[in-house]
Amino acid sequence: MIMYYRQTVKLKNIDFKTVVAAFHDFKFVEFLTSLQPVKIIKWTGIKDGDIAYFKIWFFGWKNLFVTHKEYKKTDSSLSFIDFAENSFPFGIIIWSHTHEVRLENKSVLIIDDVNFTHRNKFLGILVYPILIIPIIVRKFLYRLYFYRRLFY
């Protein structure tokens, strides 16, 4: 069963280059995961072939491995995909999380587009909120991270 989630966060009065630089910065990844039961074991970046290895706690520590692919950067956009195939916990067969940062009408849009395939329809529905809530929380965390920087 294929599950989807997409969200867009619009940031006004934020420099596009600052947002793009943050996505390349390990401290930004630490910030996004700081309120979650997640341990970052290894993170090499977001370019093609770079990896992220996390441990996520859900009734015991589970390994989570993603490879970054389809890295694209222009003067007005950045995008890359976190991809995992048969290496994700919770019965996930394929995990794909596209990150996109786009300059549009003097605002910066951050788009998270997640889709994953689960072995079992019923279990897929049960784990959906567990996997999507950390993405939903980013609506708040993106704003907190970039707007607090305006005051420091």
Side-chain angles (χ1 to χ4, degrees):
M1 171 178 206
I2 300 175
M3 313 284 277
Y4 300 96
Y5 179 75
R6 181 180 173 95
Q7 77 181 16
T8 301
V9 176
K10 185 175 188 177
L11 303 174
K12 296 180 180 180
N13 302 316
I14 298 294
D15 179 57
F16 172 74
K17 290 179 182 177
T18 299
V19 177
V20 168
F23 273 85
H24 286 87
D25 188 347
F26 180 68
K27 290 180 182 180
F28 182 59
V29 177
E30 287 181 311
F31 177 81
L32 292 177
T33 59
S34 63
L35 299 175
Q36 301 171 30
V38 171
K39 293 179 188 176
I40 304 168
I41 307 302
K42 186 173 185 177
W43 186 84
T44 60
I46 63 171
K47 293 185 178 178
D48 291 345
D50 288 345
I51 62 156
Y53 168 28
F54 301 93
K55 286 193 175 275
I56 184 168
W57 193 92
F58 184 71
F59 299 106
W61 290 101
K62 311 282 190 259
N63 291 320
L64 190 153
F65 296 93
V66 296
T67 301
H68 296 127
K69 64 182 202 172
E70 296 186 32
Y71 176 89
K72 296 177 189 123
K73 183 175 177 256
T74 69
D75 290 340
S76 60
S77 71
L78 167 74
S79 66
F80 64 97
I81 298 172
D82 293 342
F83 184 79
E85 189 170 27
N86 296 316
S87 65
F88 214 82
F90 312 116
I92 305 302
I93 299 167
I94 296 174
W95 170 268
S96 180
H97 176 183
T98 302
H99 304 265
E100 185 177 356
V101 180
R102 201 181 322 157
L103 183 59
E104 195 169 284
N105 298 327
K106 298 183 181 179
S107 295
V108 176
L109 301 180
I110 302 175
I111 302 160
D112 289 289
D113 194 351
V114 177
N115 65 71
F116 62 91
T117 304
H118 199 281
R119 298 177 212 269
N120 179 291
K121 182 178 181 178
F122 177 72
L123 292 176
I125 291 168
L126 286 178
V127 300
Y128 182 86
I130 295 164
L131 296 171
I132 299 305
I133 286 172
I135 307 302
I136 293 170
V137 169
R138 291 179 181 196
K139 286 182 179 186
F140 168 73
L141 292 176
Y142 289 147
R143 287 184 174 97
L144 180 63
Y145 185 84
F146 293 109
Y147 288 130
R148 77 179 172 127
R149 292 176 62 118
L150 290 176
F151 300 107
Y152 293 105

